[in-house]
Structures are given as C-alpha cells and as structure tokens.
Amino acid sequence: MDIEKEVLEVDILVVGAGPAGLSFGYHLANLIKKSEGRVSMPEIIIADKGSYPGAHSLSGAVLNPRALLELMPDYLEKDIPFEKKVHTDSMLYLTEQSKFKLPFLPESLRNDGNYIISLNKFSSWMAEQVEAMEVNIFPETGAYELIVENGQVTGVQTVDLGLDKEGNPRSNFEPGSFIKAKVIVLAEGVHGSLTKQAYSKLNIGAGKLPQSYLTGVKEVWEIPEGRLDDGEIIHTFGWPLPLEEYGGGFVYDMGGNMAAVGFAVGLNSPNPTNDPHFLMQKFKTHPEIRRIFEGGQMLHYGAKTIPEGGYYAMPKLHHDGLLLIGDSAGFLNSQKLKGIHLAMKSGMLAAETVFEALEKDDYSAATLKGMENRFENSWAKEELYKVRNFHAGFEDGLIMGLAHSGLQMITGGSGIFNRRKSHPDYKHMMQIDDYVARKGNEAVEKNIKYDNKYTFDKLTDVFRSGTKHEEEQPSHLVIADFEICNTKCTEEYGNPCQYFCPAQVYEMVDNEEKPGHKKLMLTPSNCVHCKTCDIADPYQIITWVTPEGGGGPNYTNM
Ligand code: SF4
C-alpha cells in the first residue's frame, strides 16, 4: 500500500516508557535545566505502545535503589510507590515435597536495603516525574520500523491504525507517521522489535555472544493474614525443574495482604514442551508455596522475558543517530536477575551522552560512542563484569552451575572459563522423540488439573492481565510458513509454541481440510507481548511485529 505518511520532526525520540527510557528523559531534562541556558531544552518525545506509561511494565520486582538515588536524590519526598522494604531474605532448594534453606546468603545475593515494588506502578510514577520536567510522553504509539538512511538511523515509522486482518484500510484508517529525530534511544524492553531490526540492519551484535533469555510468569494474590513476614522475600531453585534446566521461583510480600508469586525458566531448555505458565502452576502446588497462597485470591497475571546473557552478550550501545539502553541492550545482572537499577543507570549514561551531543550539535557515532566509554567507566560495568560468566556456568546444568558460580565469586568473575562460546537459545531445543527417549514420557506430561481457584489455565490467567487488542488488524505474530508449523514442526518438535507461549496464542486445532491432521491457529488478541515466541521458535519463522498502539496487557500492581 502506497500511502503518504505524515513526517514529524523532533530532537530526541525515546522508544519505550519503562525505567530506562524514563530515567533517560528525567536525567536529560535535569542536565539541561542545570546548564542554566547553555543548552536549550530540545523537543524530547517518549513513545510507548502501552495504553498508559507502565501498562506493559512487569518485573518481580525487587529494586536496588542505587541508580534512583543518583537520578532523584529526593525520591523519598515524592510519594514513591514502594510496596515494602526487604526485611527477610531466604533462598530455598526445593524437592517435590521438601525444602532446604541455604544456611547463609552470600553478600552478592542479599537484598539488604532493597525495596519490593510493582514495576508498572513505579513506571507510572516515574512518568509523572518526567512529564513535570517538560518531556512529552506519547502512550498508544507503536513504533513499527527503524528507519536507516545511508547507514544513519534517522527515525521510526509508527503503526498504521484501522487496517483489517488482510491489511486493507477500514473506514477509520489512519496512516502511521515517520517520526524523525537527531537521536533515537531504544528502550523497548526485552527483545524489542526495533532492537531486533538494529541487530540485522546495523550488525550491532557483531563479535558478541548471542543473547540468552528466561521467560518469567507472575501472579499477584491477596493472601490470608500472617502468611508472610513483613517485607519477606523467598527465592527458590530446584523442583519443579530437572537438574539440567535453569530457572527458579519467587514469592514477595507486597504489604496489605498482597503477595507476588512467579517462576522463570531458561529458554535454552532442551525440552520442546517447556511451558513457563505450567511450571508456575506446578510450583504453587509445592507444600511450602501452597501454605502461603491457599485460601487467597489471584488478582493479576503477566509474563515477560528476561535477558540473562550478561556482559558478553550486550550489543554495541551506539550507532550514528542511535543509542540502546535497558533490557533492549541486556542491562541485567544475571546472578541476581535484577535489571531495573541497571536499566535506570543506562538511561542516565545515555542522557549524559545526548547532553554532550546537544552541546556539540553533533549526533554522529563519533559523539554517541561516548555512551560506551561512560558505561565502561561506570559502576554498572563493574557490577555486570563481576557476573559476566554466571549464565554460561549453568550451560552444564544446576550442579555444575553452582560449582562454577562459587568459583566465579572467588576469581572476580572469570571462573574456570572466560567468555565461553554459546549458542542461541532455540538451538538447545531437542526434537520431541529424542527428548522423550532421553527423559521419559513423564518429562513432557502436563500433569496438573487446573481448578481455577488455586491453579489456573492460561486463558483465566490472561484475563487477569487486562490484555486487549483491536481484533480487526493484521496479526502481529507473523508466521513465515504455516506449512512448516502444520507438518515438519509437528513431527520434529511437537509444536512447542503451544507450550512456551504463556497466553495461549498458539493452538493446534483439527484441520478440516486434512481430516486426521492438526493445523496451527493463532489468537493474537491474547498476546501479553512477552516475545517468547520470537526467541524460542526452533525454526525462527515467527516474527513479533508491533500491533496497534494501546494493545497488549494493561498491568496493574505487577
Ligand atoms: Fe508471548 Fe509470543 Fe505468546 Fe505473545 S504470542 S504472549 S509474545 S509467546
């Protein structure tokens, strides 16, 4: 379709209103104000695909306030939505019926001084602070394509509104626009679709290890009084995962008889029926977890991926006209599975870089390269470098991973090997017959009958995520070849998409044209935007593209 698009020109465009993008906006506006007229306020726009800032923000979440203190030293005077300060911190190893509490937690794993938060409430609060600094936030604005002209990033194209499922304009059609900017800051969160384009168009991953991911699912519950101590957090490893798989569970007190429960599992699992939602439901059936949540009420649900590849898997952070920050660039401490403080710090480092670019009126790679230098000289680099091999240590399973991480702690992070070669997550998936032959049928059985009171099927959970999309629009899950799904993938892998998607977007249904066969059916309106499918599909034929702005989850208290 050849339709002329409106061109908007701004100075700085940030894609994503999560903690990284908002910290960028706040810090840049602050630096400009402090310059007392030496640098004039540019037009800064933060565009976000959610229906409001924070609608798509989800994390465990335990916040290390280090970056927040640097960004906004008076944050405690600003009615900040902390749920609880962490008071009790434990790590449990679970077997099917028992638990073993680690007698002590090494300093690197402790949460002294940290806060339990709801990331979506925190992001909404930050957005208010940022808007008060004269930075514009545009919600419901889906960025669809990164525009690169003569090797330079010059803007983004936003999503067309009002197309039907076949891509034809409806009566309410409104073409998307080109937003041109001197600098585009990608703060899209994990595995963003423009970030993925930056990898392919600009080769920003050259010489780096492939990023590796977990998918985490989370429920927020109202629980009976007295089940958790004040500010208590519990982390677990072991059951229900087998020893060779990476992941674990968590329970956090959120105050007011509210609690979060979640489970995260590596997408480098060999199991083609790896199902993060099922694993969380199973996790809740453990006696130690059941005693906390039984008799309560599940209120909210969500899912997201987590970039855990570490320092060596981070892409180049700059290009002509482009900076990458936050989860988009892999700013996550994989040992602690904490990234909010690092995302915020990365936003601040990018703001300092753009401030310099504004001073010089030079937005080329030569100036934006300052982002790399600032990062290399920051505490964020120091923190990430100490755990640079943590994830790679678990490539050989839990026991070896624990041994490796112990060695890394006493060798400053290098351990037995440094910068171990790794493969993209999807390459770890085994074919279904091989996996069953190795592990037995029980390893692929989904042996829980959901009662929808304590354990929930995917659709009931998705309903609690507030997810909505305009139904009449092209599918934002683009499958390159359905024939592969309906034949080759069924035979080889048993259609893993129906398991790894935590929102029941992918289902194998009877194929009326081929009796006795199944075919793939998509329900894109269920999608919670976690990106698992784009990462984990063994044939890499699923592409997640940005749907109409405002679509997706509407998280509250997540
Ligand atoms: Fe996540 Fe993909 Fe399912 Fe959407 S369709 S919820 S991005 S796995």
Side-chain angles (χ1 to χ4, degrees):
M1 209 176 16
D2 205 8
I3 290 169
E4 199 168 320
K5 298 191 189 273
E6 188 186 1
V7 179
L8 300 175
E9 296 210 19
V10 299
D11 294 306
I12 314 294
L13 172 66
V14 183
V15 182
L22 293 167
S23 297
F24 170 86
Y26 189 91
H27 195 49
L28 181 58
N30 209 9
L31 290 170
I32 290 165
K33 287 213 163 114
K34 283 185 183 159
S35 80
E36 297 180 338
R38 196 163 46 80
V39 176
S40 47
M41 187 72 177
E43 188 174 3
I44 310 168
I45 285 181
I46 302 180
D48 193 87
K49 63 185 167 60
S51 57
Y52 56 88
H56 292 181
S57 292
L58 176 149
S59 184
V62 175
L63 172 73
N64 171 343
R66 184 171 187 177
L68 179 63
L69 187 60
E70 288 179 11
L71 179 72
M72 217 183 279
D74 58 346
Y75 68 87
L76 285 174
E77 292 155 31
K78 291 179 184 261
D79 207 15
I80 191 164
F82 287 151
E83 308 299 318
K84 279 280 162 192
K85 189 157 194 176
V86 176
H87 290 303
T88 317
D89 196 355
S90 57
M91 174 76 77
L92 308 178
Y93 173 69
L94 300 185
T95 63
E96 188 163 355
Q97 290 297 324
S98 303
K99 60 164 199 228
F100 301 94
K101 184 172 171 182
L102 295 198
F104 76 97
L105 281 178
E107 193 278 327
S108 58
L109 290 178
R110 288 208 297 264
N111 282 288
D112 309 339
N114 292 344
Y115 294 92
I116 300 163
I117 63 166
S118 144
L119 186 62
N120 88 281
K121 273 161 74 176
F122 181 75
S123 297
S124 297
W125 172 84
M126 274 198 72
E128 286 168 20
Q129 314 309 311
V130 169
E131 283 178 318
M133 303 286 280
E134 297 171 42
V135 174
N136 297 308
I137 301 178
F138 288 0
E140 300 195 328
T141 306
Y144 184 82
E145 191 179 350
L146 190 68
I147 308 295
V148 180
E149 294 172 303
N150 302 320
Q152 184 193 351
V153 178
T154 55
V156 306
Q157 184 185 324
T158 64
V159 182
D160 292 335
L161 304 178
L163 293 174
D164 68 15
K165 286 185 177 164
E166 279 69 49
N168 303 310
R170 291 185 287 133
S171 56
N172 61 346
F173 177 71
E174 272 180 50
S177 42
F178 286 124
I179 307 181
K180 295 207 151 205
K182 293 168 181 155
V183 184
I184 312 290
V185 182
L186 292 183
E188 298 177 283
V190 189
H191 201 68
S193 37
L194 301 197
T195 307
K196 188 176 170 187
Q197 292 168 27
Y199 269 87
S200 59
K201 292 181 181 182
L202 307 172
N203 207 16
I204 57 174
K208 312 285 181 170
L209 295 182
Q211 186 54 271
S212 186
Y213 303 87
L214 296 142
T215 291
V217 289
K218 173 180 170 184
E219 290 171 349
V220 171
W221 282 64
E222 188 172 2
I223 56 172
E225 183 110 29
R227 297 283 177 89
L228 287 170
D229 288 341
D230 184 45
E232 179 172 6
I233 63 176
I234 301 167
H235 290 108
T236 76
F237 61 108
W239 190 89
L241 286 175
L243 285 179
E244 74 270 21
E245 291 194 39
Y246 183 67
F250 65 86
V251 174
Y252 300 152
D253 172 40
M254 296 176 75
N257 290 337
M258 304 283 282
V261 56
F263 199 88
V265 58
L267 294 182
N268 60 358
S269 165
N271 183 354
T273 72
N274 186 25
D275 185 335
H277 170 271
F278 164 77
L279 286 165
M280 182 176 71
Q281 302 308 320
K282 197 163 178 182
F283 171 63
K284 287 190 298 175
T285 66
H286 191 280
E288 179 62 16
I289 309 304
R290 193 181 268 276
R291 74 156 183 92
I292 299 167
F293 291 93
E294 185 91 82
Q297 194 189 357
M298 192 271 283
L299 302 175
H300 307 294
Y301 172 77
K304 72 166 285 195
T305 41
I306 304 163
E308 52 151 356
Y311 177 77
Y312 291 132
M314 293 173 73
K316 193 164 78 124
L317 303 176
H318 79 287
H319 190 82
D320 253 336
L322 181 76
L323 290 170
L324 291 105
I325 58 177
D327 277 349
S328 291
F331 277 89
L332 184 115
N333 180 326
S334 52
Q335 183 187 49
K336 296 186 171 190
L337 282 191
K338 273 196 188 52
I340 303 169
H341 64 300
L342 292 163
M344 293 177 74
K345 182 66 180 176
S346 71
M348 294 174 72
L349 298 171
E352 288 157 24
T353 307
V354 170
F355 183 75
E356 185 193 342
L358 289 164
E359 276 182 313
K360 292 182 178 168
D361 196 21
D362 175 7
Y363 310 92
S364 68
T367 299
L368 299 186
K369 189 172 190 297
M371 175 71 187
E372 316 278 352
N373 303 335
R374 286 181 174 88
F375 168 55
E376 287 296 322
N377 292 308
S378 70
W379 58 255
K381 148 76 190 291
E382 198 182 321
E383 178 177 335
L384 288 168
Y385 197 68
K386 271 189 203 153
V387 295
R388 62 197 179 280
N389 291 309
F390 181 81
H391 171 67
F394 283 82
E395 289 267 313
D396 304 317
L398 179 64
I399 305 294
M400 288 307 290
L402 292 173
H404 284 310
S405 68
L407 270 171
Q408 287 160 12
M409 277 183 207
I410 52 177
T411 57
S414 66
I416 301 172
F417 45 74
N418 196 27
R419 207 178 193 281
R420 187 182 200 184
K421 196 165 182 290
S422 62
H423 304 288
D425 288 338
Y426 69 90
K427 292 207 166 164
H428 293 252
M429 190 183 285
M430 290 173 71
Q431 294 201 357
I432 184 83
D433 289 347
D434 297 340
Y435 187 72
V436 170
R438 188 205 275 188
K439 302 290 294 181
N441 267 321
E442 59 283 5
V444 295
E445 275 170 14
K446 303 297 171 224
N447 51 359
I448 292 183
K449 195 162 168 15
Y450 301 124
D451 61 10
N452 284 332
K453 289 194 181 108
Y454 183 69
T455 53
F456 299 92
D457 58 44
K458 286 183 183 175
L459 282 186
T460 305
D461 262 331
V462 170
F463 180 71
R464 300 288 168 84
S465 68
T467 297
K468 285 193 190 113
H469 289 88
E470 166 59 61
E471 298 271 349
E472 274 301 314
Q473 63 174 309
S475 171
H476 69 279
L477 289 322
V478 179
I479 312 289
D481 186 348
F482 272 92
E483 197 51 29
I484 291 180
C485 307
N486 298 340
T487 54
K488 196 170 159 67
C489 186
T490 304
E491 284 159 28
E492 293 184 342
Y493 292 97
N495 299 106
C497 56
Q498 61 188 322
Y499 302 106
F500 59 56
C501 171
Q504 204 169 314
V505 171
Y506 300 89
E507 281 178 275
M508 297 306 291
V509 298
D510 289 339
N511 187 343
E512 283 147 19
E513 285 155 26
K514 269 194 183 178
H517 291 81
K518 299 266 186 195
K519 66 174 182 184
L520 180 63
M521 184 182 82
L522 301 182
T523 313
S525 54
N526 286 355
C527 176
V528 295
H529 296 201
C530 72
K531 315 290 175 63
T532 302
C533 51
D534 195 306
I535 297 163
D537 162 38
Y539 301 99
Q540 292 292 285
I541 55 171
I542 301 175
T543 303
W544 190 100
V545 300
T546 312
E548 286 194 8
N554 286 288
Y555 289 139
T556 45
N557 224 4
M558 290 299 278

